Amino acid sequence: MASTFRVIDTGLRDGRRQIAFDQAMIDAHTAGEIPDSIRFLRFPPTALIGRHQALSREINLAHCRANGIGLARRVTGGGAIYFDEGQLGWELVLHRSTLGISSLTELTRRICEAAAAGLSRLGVTARYRPRNDIEVGGRKVSGTGGFFEEDTLFFQGTVLVDMDPADMLAALKVPQAKLARRVLDSAAQRVVALKELLGTAPAIESVKQALLAGFAEQLGIIPVPGEISAHEEALAAQYHDEEIGTDAFVAEIDDPGTGEGMLTASRTGAGGTIQAYIRLEGARRDRIREALITGDFFVTPPRTIFDLEASLRNVAVTDAGAAIERFFAESKVGLLTIAPADFRKVVEDAIASSAGQGPFTPA
């Protein structure tokens, strides 16, 4: 029997309030207070960074502040994006058992293929590209990401309906490593809006209906128009005021720089980019005093990285790699196209840089 999904639309709201509503939906669904749902949303000009990203490393803060572009940190991982009124956000909140799939990788594929099928109804040929993009002719028209919170899956995506790539390039610091992976001269070549593909921008309502049709057909669900609950709105307001809407939350993770004693390394692969910042202590600088790990990867649950950083404090540098392997072996963690070995390698490379050794090479 097909599952019914409530469909809601929170319209155009301040970026931080939209993110606070994300957390409200996750918590309300986990508590059994709302049903499986599909949500549409839009933003005024906003630069959004992923949950684990370093703010000033990813965003051109001076440009954003000078031009009234909002700043917000998502509760999901992934990379920085620029969002404005010409783009549409879509989200699914559902129980792990609803689609009969428990793997985050497989759920990502199924949901992205459904979204691609929906967008193809508009007259383009959209395809899912791992790890989490939807493309037309090799160019990204939609990015996605998600995670599990207990038995609730939260999955979100964007659709570029009408945008000026120059606005995105001005607001974001696009890493050269990311461009090099795709053999592109600029980030503008990597993305494309429906307006460019179709010659005119489709109505937002048409895009919504196309996506709903794709979800219904490919996921075997029944989308039904519904109402936003007063409880969701109250939770969202609370989360906004207490945490997600604050400057402290947005700047919670930032690039600590390369000052004295700071060891750094970066690793970019198919699963994303990881940066490690390590400080050592002890007379022989043989123990980790603190570790910061940032990047555009996807990890579930999101607090995994904070727990990993805490687990590395006071660990001997010779045991750092093994400690990372133990952490992931003992934790219930979901990783999307990235592996514990990637975290181990970047931390060991940072430690090795203290002696000018270059990248770490295991014995």
Side-chain angles (χ1 to χ4, degrees):
M1 181 177 179
S3 298
T4 297
F5 275 61
R6 176 191 62 151
V7 180
I8 60 172
D9 190 335
T10 50
L12 184 66
R13 300 189 185 190
D14 170 81
R16 298 184 189 186
R17 292 195 178 277
Q18 295 284 37
I19 302 303
F21 199 95
D22 288 344
Q23 191 63 56
M25 288 187 72
I26 293 165
D27 290 351
H29 186 275
T30 300
E33 295 163 344
I34 63 170
D36 292 347
S37 300
I38 298 170
R39 173 195 177 203
F40 293 111
L41 62 158
R42 296 170 67 200
F43 293 71
T46 307
L48 290 159
I49 56 172
R51 183 67 187 91
H52 308 295
Q53 290 191 295
L55 177 63
S56 60
R57 185 183 180 95
E58 307 295 336
I59 304 296
N60 186 334
L61 295 174
H63 173 82
C64 289
R65 288 165 178 158
N67 291 275
I69 297 171
L71 302 172
R73 182 179 293 278
R74 298 195 305 275
V75 295
T76 49
I81 59 173
Y82 172 78
F83 222 128
D84 61 21
E85 296 93 331
Q87 298 166 60
L88 175 67
W90 55 268
E91 298 174 347
L92 280 74
V93 181
L94 63 148
H95 194 275
R96 185 189 293 264
S97 65
T98 297
L99 300 180
I101 303 169
S102 60
S103 161
L104 181 59
T105 300
E106 180 62 14
L107 280 164
T108 296
R109 182 185 68 80
R110 285 285 307 279
I111 293 171
C112 286
E113 287 179 348
L119 293 177
S120 295
R121 290 169 172 262
L122 297 170
V124 300
T125 302
R127 295 284 186 267
Y128 165 54
R129 173 175 172 170
R131 61 184 169 144
N132 60 315
D133 290 342
I134 298 170
E135 297 183 341
V136 176
R139 300 172 70 189
K140 178 177 174 178
V141 72
S142 176
T144 73
F147 64 86
F148 283 114
E149 183 69 36
E150 297 182 12
D151 285 329
T152 290
L153 172 69
F154 177 72
F155 200 89
Q156 62 186 175
T158 63
V159 179
L160 306 182
V161 180
D162 182 7
M163 73 168 294
D164 183 347
D167 292 335
M168 176 191 70
L169 292 175
L172 307 182
K173 295 179 179 179
V174 182
Q176 287 302 310
K178 183 173 287 189
L179 301 182
R181 288 207 309 272
R182 300 182 174 96
V183 198
L184 300 175
D185 294 325
S186 76
Q189 293 177 275
R190 168 63 182 146
V191 299
V192 65
L194 291 174
K195 180 179 180 179
E196 180 180 341
L197 294 168
L198 298 172
T200 184
I204 293 292
E205 189 59 35
S206 297
V207 181
K208 293 178 190 176
Q209 293 306 313
L211 286 168
L212 290 176
F215 293 143
E217 177 185 83
Q218 298 293 317
L219 300 179
I221 65 173
I222 303 172
V224 176
E227 300 294 331
I228 300 168
S229 71
H231 180 59
E232 287 169 294
E233 292 284 21
L235 274 182
Q238 175 187 338
Y239 295 158
H240 175 273
D241 294 346
E242 293 181 353
E243 182 180 25
I244 293 172
T246 66
D247 291 342
F249 178 76
V250 176
E252 179 182 25
I253 302 171
D254 207 351
D255 191 334
T258 56
E260 184 177 355
M262 180 62 72
L263 307 176
T264 68
S266 180
R267 178 175 177 81
T268 298
T273 296
I274 310 173
Q275 293 92 26
Y277 303 86
I278 306 291
R279 288 190 190 277
L280 304 181
E281 64 182 357
R284 300 178 60 189
R285 286 168 53 80
D286 58 355
R287 305 192 77 80
I288 296 174
R289 187 176 85 192
E290 58 185 344
L292 173 67
I293 298 172
T294 70
D296 61 358
F297 46 81
F298 288 92
V299 176
T300 181
R303 71 160 294 104
T304 295
I305 299 304
F306 305 120
D307 292 340
L308 173 60
E309 292 167 347
S311 75
L312 289 173
R313 293 186 193 123
N314 204 38
V315 168
V317 296
T318 54
D319 190 41
I324 292 170
E325 296 284 355
R326 286 196 300 271
F327 171 84
F328 282 106
E330 295 169 0
S331 304
K332 293 181 64 176
V333 176
L335 300 171
L336 184 59
T337 68
I338 203 164
D342 295 308
F343 291 97
R344 175 173 185 162
K345 182 69 166 64
V346 74
V347 168
E348 289 181 329
D349 282 352
I351 291 170
S353 71
S354 67
Q357 299 171 13
F360 178 84
T361 302

